[in-house]
Amino acid sequence: MKDAISQFSVNLRRAEDLCGLAAALQAQMTSVVDTTDVLRAAMVLAVSAFDHFVHDITRKGMLEIAAGKRTPTDAYLRFQVSLRSMDVLRTSTGWSWLDEEIRDRHGWLSFQDPDKLADALRNVTAKKIWPEVGRQLGIPARDAKAQLRLIIDRRNKIAHEADMDPTAPGMRWPITVAIVEDAVKFMSDIAVAVVDLL
């Protein structure tokens, strides 16, 4: 799982770099130059990095179960594979077929929402994810979930609604370096907590 958190850090650094770029541009230019779209891109990248991280640790954890390195969970035992994999099983000597099946089954799913994250991780652990994460973050589980939902909601406004504020026609929701940095840090903290409990 350490390589998953390492890759997450690399992916998250791209969002952090965009925040730094926006801050540097804001410091050197007049307010006429709008740098907020750089921050919006950073928010989208950060959430994308988080989603990729959850996919990655779920897949790797499931492969560890298949290899006998982890105890199977009920969700893992219910995971369905295609009949196509039967052909691969006849000639395969490793778990690459299962890796491909997990990627196929999970590839179109989004694990950003707190409940979807918990669903994904049930394939790897029987632990209650959010109470554990909340405990490690020092906040109630419901607050941790609510804060992540706000971050995901903001990313969705950017990605699906052009970040337009319906209460102020023609205006976008305000965004600052601090908003994005706080989101990045919070998702990073969740990722570390998740790896610790796995």
Side-chain angles (χ1 to χ4, degrees), residues 18 20 79:
L18 282 178
F79 184 79

Side-chain angles (χ1 to χ4, degrees), residues 86-172:
M86 297 304 293
D87 290 333
V88 177
L89 278 172
R90 288 186 203 132
T91 59
S92 178
T93 57
W95 294 105
S96 60
W97 69 271
L98 181 57
D99 190 351
E100 187 176 327
E101 280 291 319
I102 295 167
R103 288 177 193 271
D104 285 350
R105 297 273 177 220
H106 288 174
W108 59 275
L109 298 173
S110 170
F111 296 147
Q112 301 164 8
D113 179 85
D115 294 334
K116 297 298 182 187
L117 180 149
D119 288 345
L121 293 181
R122 283 187 192 97
N123 288 294
V124 180
T125 183
K127 292 179 183 176
K128 301 289 185 193
I129 297 299
W130 286 106
E132 292 285 332
V133 168
R135 185 181 53 72
Q136 288 193 38
L137 297 180
I139 59 176
R142 71 177 179 280
D143 292 352
K145 290 169 70 171
Q147 190 168 342
L148 180 59
R149 277 196 182 100
L150 287 173
I151 293 167
I152 303 312
D153 184 56
R154 183 58 189 271
R155 176 264 176 205
N156 290 343
K157 281 182 173 62
I158 294 166
H160 303 296
E161 300 171 9
D163 212 23
M164 300 302 292
D165 179 352
T167 63
M171 302 295 290
R172 299 190 195 291

Side-chain angles (χ1 to χ4, degrees), residues 26-74:
Q26 287 172 0
Q28 295 177 9
M29 299 184 173
T30 68
S31 59
V32 174
V33 178
D34 184 7
T35 60
T36 58
D37 282 341
V38 175
L39 295 172
R40 289 183 180 91
M43 182 69 89
V44 171
L45 274 175
V47 172
S48 176
F50 184 75
D51 189 47
H52 179 266
F53 164 75
V54 178
H55 277 267
D56 205 21
I57 61 168
T58 300
R59 181 180 52 80
K60 288 176 178 176
M62 291 175 75
L63 291 172
E64 286 178 2
I65 292 171
K69 297 177 183 175
R70 242 179 220 285
T71 304
T73 66
D74 291 341

